[in-house]
Coordinates of all heavy atoms in Angstrom, one line a residue:
L113 N -17.6 -17.4 7.0 CA -18.2 -18.2 5.9 C -18.1 -19.7 6.1 O -19.1 -20.4 6.0 CB -17.5 -17.8 4.6 CG -18.1 -18.3 3.3 CD1 -19.5 -17.8 3.1 CD2 -17.2 -17.9 2.1
V114 N -16.9 -20.2 6.5 CA -16.7 -21.6 6.7 C -17.6 -22.1 7.9 O -18.2 -23.1 7.9 CB -15.2 -21.9 6.9 CG1 -15.0 -23.3 7.4 CG2 -14.5 -21.7 5.6
G115 N -17.6 -21.3 9.0 CA -18.4 -21.6 10.2 C -19.8 -21.8 9.8 O -20.5 -22.7 10.3
E116 N -20.4 -20.9 9.1 CA -21.8 -20.9 8.7 C -22.0 -22.1 7.7 O -23.0 -22.8 7.9 CB -22.2 -19.6 8.0 CG -22.3 -18.5 9.0 CD -23.3 -18.7 10.1 OE1 -24.3 -19.4 9.9 OE2 -23.1 -18.1 11.2
L117 N -21.1 -22.3 6.8 CA -21.3 -23.5 5.9 C -21.2 -24.8 6.6 O -22.0 -25.7 6.3 CB -20.3 -23.4 4.7 CG -20.5 -22.3 3.7 CD1 -19.3 -22.2 2.8 CD2 -21.8 -22.4 3.0
L118 N -20.3 -24.9 7.6 CA -20.2 -26.1 8.4 C -21.5 -26.3 9.3 O -21.8 -27.4 9.6 CB -19.0 -26.1 9.3 CG -17.7 -26.3 8.5 CD1 -16.5 -26.1 9.5 CD2 -17.6 -27.6 7.8
N119 N -22.1 -25.2 9.6 CA -23.4 -25.3 10.4 C -24.6 -25.5 9.5 O -25.7 -25.3 9.9 CB -23.5 -24.0 11.2 CG -24.5 -24.1 12.3 OD1 -24.6 -25.1 12.9 ND2 -25.3 -23.0 12.5
K120 N -24.3 -25.9 8.2 CA -25.3 -26.2 7.3 C -26.2 -25.1 6.8 O -27.4 -25.2 6.5 CB -26.2 -27.4 7.8 CG -25.4 -28.6 8.0 CD -26.3 -29.8 8.5 CE -25.7 -31.1 8.7 NZ -24.4 -31.3 9.2
A121 N -25.6 -23.9 6.8 CA -26.3 -22.7 6.3 C -26.2 -22.7 4.8 O -25.2 -23.2 4.3 CB -25.8 -21.4 6.9
D122 N -27.1 -22.1 4.1 CA -27.0 -22.0 2.7 C -26.0 -20.9 2.3 O -25.6 -20.1 3.2 CB -28.4 -21.7 2.0 CG -28.9 -20.4 2.5 OD1 -29.6 -20.4 3.6 OD2 -28.7 -19.3 1.9
K123 N -25.5 -20.9 1.1 CA -24.4 -19.9 0.7 C -24.8 -18.5 0.9 O -24.0 -17.7 1.3 CB -24.0 -20.2 -0.7 CG -23.2 -21.5 -0.9 CD -22.8 -21.7 -2.3 CE -22.1 -23.0 -2.5 NZ -21.8 -23.3 -3.8
K124 N -26.1 -18.2 0.7 CA -26.5 -16.8 0.8 C -26.5 -16.3 2.3 O -25.9 -15.3 2.6 CB -27.9 -16.6 0.3 CG -28.5 -15.2 0.3 CD -29.9 -15.1 -0.2 CE -30.4 -13.7 -0.1 NZ -31.8 -13.6 -0.5
T125 N -27.0 -17.2 3.2 CA -26.9 -16.8 4.6 C -25.5 -16.8 5.1 O -25.1 -15.9 5.9 CB -27.7 -17.9 5.4 OG1 -29.0 -17.9 4.9 CG2 -27.8 -17.5 6.9
A126 N -24.7 -17.7 4.7 CA -23.3 -17.7 5.1 C -22.5 -16.5 4.6 O -21.7 -15.9 5.4 CB -22.6 -19.0 4.6
T127 N -22.8 -16.1 3.4 CA -22.1 -14.9 2.8 C -22.6 -13.7 3.6 O -21.8 -12.8 3.8 CB -22.4 -14.8 1.3 OG1 -22.0 -16.0 0.7 CG2 -21.7 -13.6 0.7
K128 N -23.9 -13.6 3.9 CA -24.4 -12.4 4.6 C -23.7 -12.4 6.0 O -23.3 -11.3 6.4 CB -25.9 -12.6 4.8 CG -26.6 -11.4 5.4 CD -28.1 -11.6 5.4 CE -28.7 -10.5 6.2 NZ -30.2 -10.7 6.4
A129 N -23.6 -13.5 6.7 CA -22.9 -13.5 8.0 C -21.5 -13.1 7.9 O -20.9 -12.3 8.7 CB -23.0 -14.9 8.6
A130 N -20.8 -13.5 6.8 CA -19.4 -13.2 6.6 C -19.3 -11.7 6.3 O -18.3 -11.0 6.8 CB -18.8 -14.0 5.5
F131 N -20.2 -11.1 5.6 CA -20.3 -9.7 5.3 C -20.4 -8.9 6.7 O -19.8 -7.9 6.9 CB -21.4 -9.3 4.4 CG -21.4 -7.9 4.0 CD1 -20.5 -7.3 3.2 CD2 -22.5 -7.1 4.5 CE1 -20.5 -5.9 2.9 CE2 -22.5 -5.7 4.2 CZ -21.5 -5.1 3.5
G132 N -21.2 -9.5 7.6 CA -21.3 -8.9 8.9 C -20.0 -8.8 9.6 O -19.7 -7.8 10.3
S133 N -19.2 -9.8 9.5 CA -17.9 -9.9 10.0 C -17.0 -8.7 9.5 O -16.3 -8.0 10.2 CB -17.2 -11.2 9.8 OG -15.9 -11.2 10.1
F134 N -17.1 -8.5 8.2 CA -16.4 -7.5 7.5 C -16.8 -6.1 8.0 O -16.0 -5.2 8.3 CB -16.5 -7.6 6.0 CG -15.8 -6.5 5.2 CD1 -14.5 -6.4 5.2 CD2 -16.6 -5.5 4.6 CE1 -13.8 -5.4 4.5 CE2 -15.9 -4.5 3.9 CZ -14.5 -4.5 3.8
I135 N -18.1 -5.9 8.1 CA -18.6 -4.6 8.6 C -18.2 -4.4 10.1 O -17.8 -3.3 10.5 CB -20.2 -4.6 8.6 CG1 -20.7 -4.6 7.1 CG2 -20.8 -3.4 9.3 CD1 -20.2 -3.4 6.3
G136 N -18.2 -5.5 10.9 CA -17.7 -5.4 12.2 C -16.2 -5.0 12.3 O -15.8 -4.2 13.1
F137 N -15.4 -5.5 11.4 CA -14.0 -5.2 11.3 C -13.9 -3.7 11.0 O -13.1 -3.0 11.6 CB -13.3 -6.0 10.3 CG -11.9 -5.5 9.9 CD1 -10.9 -5.7 10.8 CD2 -11.7 -4.8 8.8 CE1 -9.6 -5.1 10.5 CE2 -10.5 -4.2 8.5 CZ -9.4 -4.4 9.4
L138 N -14.6 -3.2 10.0 CA -14.5 -1.8 9.6 C -14.9 -0.9 10.8 O -14.3 0.1 11.0 CB -15.4 -1.5 8.4 CG -14.9 -2.1 7.1 CD1 -15.9 -1.7 6.0 CD2 -13.5 -1.6 6.7
T139 N -16.0 -1.3 11.5 CA -16.4 -0.5 12.7 C -15.3 -0.5 13.7 O -15.1 0.6 14.3 CB -17.7 -1.2 13.2 OG1 -18.7 -1.2 12.2 CG2 -18.2 -0.4 14.4
G140 N -14.7 -1.6 14.0 CA -13.6 -1.6 15.0 C -12.5 -0.8 14.6 O -11.9 0.0 15.4
T141 N -12.1 -0.8 13.3 CA -11.0 0.0 12.8 C -11.3 1.5 12.9 O -10.5 2.3 13.3 CB -10.7 -0.4 11.4 OG1 -10.3 -1.8 11.3 CG2 -9.5 0.4 10.8
F142 N -12.5 1.9 12.6 CA -12.9 3.3 12.6 C -12.9 3.7 14.1 O -12.4 4.8 14.4 CB -14.3 3.4 12.1 CG -14.8 4.8 12.2 CD1 -14.4 5.8 11.3 CD2 -15.8 5.2 13.1 CE1 -14.8 7.1 11.4 CE2 -16.3 6.5 13.2 CZ -15.8 7.5 12.4
L143 N -13.4 2.9 15.0 CA -13.4 3.3 16.4 C -11.9 3.5 16.9 O -11.6 4.5 17.6 CB -14.1 2.2 17.2 CG -14.3 2.4 18.7 CD1 -15.1 3.6 19.0 CD2 -14.9 1.2 19.3
K144 N -11.0 2.5 16.6 CA -9.6 2.7 17.0 C -9.0 3.9 16.4 O -8.3 4.7 17.1 CB -8.8 1.5 16.6 CG -9.1 0.2 17.3 CD -8.1 -0.9 16.9 CE -8.1 -1.2 15.5 NZ -7.3 -2.3 15.1
F145 N -9.3 4.2 15.1 CA -8.7 5.4 14.5 C -9.2 6.7 15.2 O -8.4 7.6 15.5 CB -9.1 5.4 13.0 CG -8.6 6.6 12.3 CD1 -7.3 6.8 12.1 CD2 -9.5 7.5 11.8 CE1 -6.8 7.9 11.4 CE2 -9.1 8.7 11.1 CZ -7.7 8.8 10.9
M146 N -10.5 6.7 15.5 CA -11.0 7.9 16.1 C -10.4 8.1 17.5 O -10.1 9.3 17.9 CB -12.6 7.8 16.2 CG -13.3 7.9 14.9 SD -12.8 9.3 13.9 CE -13.3 10.7 14.9
V147 N -10.3 7.1 18.3 CA -9.7 7.2 19.6 C -8.2 7.7 19.5 O -7.8 8.6 20.2 CB -9.8 5.9 20.4 CG1 -8.9 5.9 21.6 CG2 -11.2 5.6 20.8
T148 N -7.5 7.1 18.6 CA -6.1 7.6 18.4 C -5.9 9.0 17.9 O -5.1 9.7 18.4 CB -5.3 6.6 17.5 OG1 -5.9 6.6 16.2 CG2 -5.2 5.2 18.1
I149 N -6.9 9.4 17.1 CA -6.9 10.8 16.6 C -7.2 11.8 17.8 O -6.6 12.8 18.0 CB -7.8 11.0 15.5 CG1 -7.3 10.3 14.2 CG2 -8.1 12.5 15.2 CD1 -6.0 10.8 13.7
V150 N -8.2 11.4 18.6 CA -8.5 12.2 19.8 C -7.3 12.3 20.8 O -7.0 13.3 21.3 CB -9.8 11.6 20.5 CG1 -10.0 12.3 21.9 CG2 -11.0 11.9 19.7
Y151 N -6.7 11.1 21.0 CA -5.5 11.2 21.8 C -4.4 12.0 21.3 O -3.7 12.8 22.0 CB -4.9 9.7 22.0 CG -5.8 8.9 23.0 CD1 -7.0 9.4 23.5 CD2 -5.3 7.6 23.4 CE1 -7.7 8.6 24.4 CE2 -6.1 6.9 24.3 CZ -7.2 7.3 24.8 OH -8.0 6.6 25.7
L152 N -4.2 12.0 20.0 CA -3.2 12.9 19.3 C -3.6 14.4 19.6 O -2.8 15.2 19.9 CB -3.1 12.7 17.8 CG -2.2 13.6 17.1 CD1 -0.7 13.4 17.6 CD2 -2.2 13.3 15.6
G153 N -4.9 14.7 19.4 CA -5.4 16.0 19.7 C -5.1 16.5 21.2 O -4.7 17.6 21.4
L154 N -5.4 15.5 22.1 CA -5.1 15.8 23.5 C -3.6 16.0 23.7 O -3.2 16.9 24.5 CB -5.6 14.7 24.4 CG -7.2 14.5 24.4 CD1 -7.5 13.2 25.1 CD2 -7.8 15.7 25.2
F155 N -2.8 15.2 23.1 CA -1.4 15.4 23.2 C -0.9 16.7 22.7 O -0.2 17.4 23.4 CB -0.7 14.3 22.4 CG 0.8 14.2 22.5 CD1 1.4 13.4 23.4 CD2 1.6 15.0 21.6 CE1 2.8 13.4 23.5 CE2 3.0 15.0 21.7 CZ 3.6 14.2 22.7
I156 N -1.4 17.1 21.6 CA -0.9 18.4 21.0 C -1.5 19.6 21.8 O -0.7 20.5 22.1 CB -1.4 18.5 19.5 CG1 -0.6 17.5 18.7 CG2 -1.2 19.9 19.0 CD1 -1.1 17.4 17.2
A157 N -2.7 19.5 22.2 CA -3.3 20.6 23.0 C -2.6 20.7 24.4 O -2.3 21.9 24.8 CB -4.8 20.3 23.3
T158 N -2.2 19.6 25.0 CA -1.5 19.7 26.3 C -0.1 20.2 26.1 O 0.4 21.1 26.8 CB -1.5 18.3 27.0 OG1 -2.8 17.8 27.1 CG2 -0.8 18.4 28.3
A159 N 0.6 19.7 25.1 CA 1.9 20.2 24.8 C 1.9 21.7 24.4 O 2.8 22.5 24.9 CB 2.6 19.4 23.6
W160 N 0.9 22.1 23.7 CA 0.8 23.6 23.3 C 0.5 24.4 24.6 O 1.1 25.5 24.7 CB -0.3 23.7 22.3 CG -0.4 25.1 21.8 CD1 -1.3 26.1 22.2 CD2 0.5 25.7 20.8 NE1 -1.0 27.3 21.5 CE2 0.0 27.1 20.6 CE3 1.5 25.3 20.1 CZ2 0.7 27.9 19.8 CZ3 2.1 26.1 19.2 CH2 1.7 27.4 19.0
E161 N -0.4 23.9 25.5 CA -0.7 24.6 26.7 C 0.6 24.9 27.5 O 0.7 25.9 28.2 CB -1.7 23.9 27.5 CG -2.2 24.5 28.7 CD -3.2 23.7 29.5 OE1 -3.8 22.8 28.9 OE2 -3.5 24.1 30.7
Y162 N 1.5 23.9 27.6 CA 2.7 24.0 28.4 C 3.9 24.2 27.6 O 5.0 23.9 28.0 CB 2.8 22.7 29.2 CG 1.7 22.6 30.3 CD1 0.6 21.8 30.0 CD2 1.8 23.2 31.5 CE1 -0.4 21.7 31.0 CE2 0.8 23.1 32.4 CZ -0.3 22.3 32.2 OH -1.3 22.2 33.1
K163 N 3.8 24.8 26.4 CA 4.9 25.1 25.5 C 6.0 26.0 26.2 O 7.2 25.8 26.0 CB 4.5 25.6 24.2 CG 3.9 27.0 24.2 CD 3.5 27.5 22.8 CE 2.9 28.9 22.9 NZ 1.6 29.0 23.4
G164 N 5.5 26.9 27.0 CA 6.5 27.8 27.6 C 7.3 27.1 28.6 O 8.5 27.4 28.8
T165 N 6.8 26.1 29.3 CA 7.5 25.3 30.3 C 8.3 24.2 29.6 O 9.5 23.9 30.0 CB 6.6 24.6 31.3 OG1 5.6 25.6 31.7 CG2 7.3 24.1 32.5
L166 N 7.8 23.6 28.5 CA 8.5 22.6 27.8 C 9.7 23.2 27.0 O 10.8 22.6 26.9 CB 7.6 21.9 26.8 CG 6.7 20.8 27.3 CD1 5.6 20.5 26.3 CD2 7.5 19.6 27.7
F167 N 9.5 24.4 26.5 CA 10.6 25.0 25.7 C 10.9 26.4 26.2 O 10.6 27.4 25.6 CB 10.1 25.2 24.2 CG 9.6 23.9 23.6 CD1 8.3 23.7 23.4 CD2 10.6 23.0 23.1 CE1 7.8 22.5 22.8 CE2 10.1 21.8 22.5 CZ 8.7 21.6 22.4

Side-chain angles (χ1 to χ4, degrees):
L113 186 64
V114 169
E116 290 298 330
L117 289 173
L118 288 175
N119 196 37
K120 299 182 177 35
D122 61 273
K123 288 181 184 177
K124 182 179 177 185
T125 304
T127 305
K128 184 177 173 188
F131 181 71
S133 168
F134 178 68
I135 296 296
F137 168 76
L138 290 179
T139 303
T141 301
F142 178 73
L143 184 61
K144 288 188 304 184
F145 178 68
M146 291 310 297
V147 167
T148 56
I149 291 297
V150 167
Y151 284 6
L152 176 64
L154 292 169
F155 183 93
I156 291 171
T158 303
W160 186 261
E161 181 180 348
Y162 292 97
K163 68 181 180 287
T165 313
L166 280 167
F167 307 102

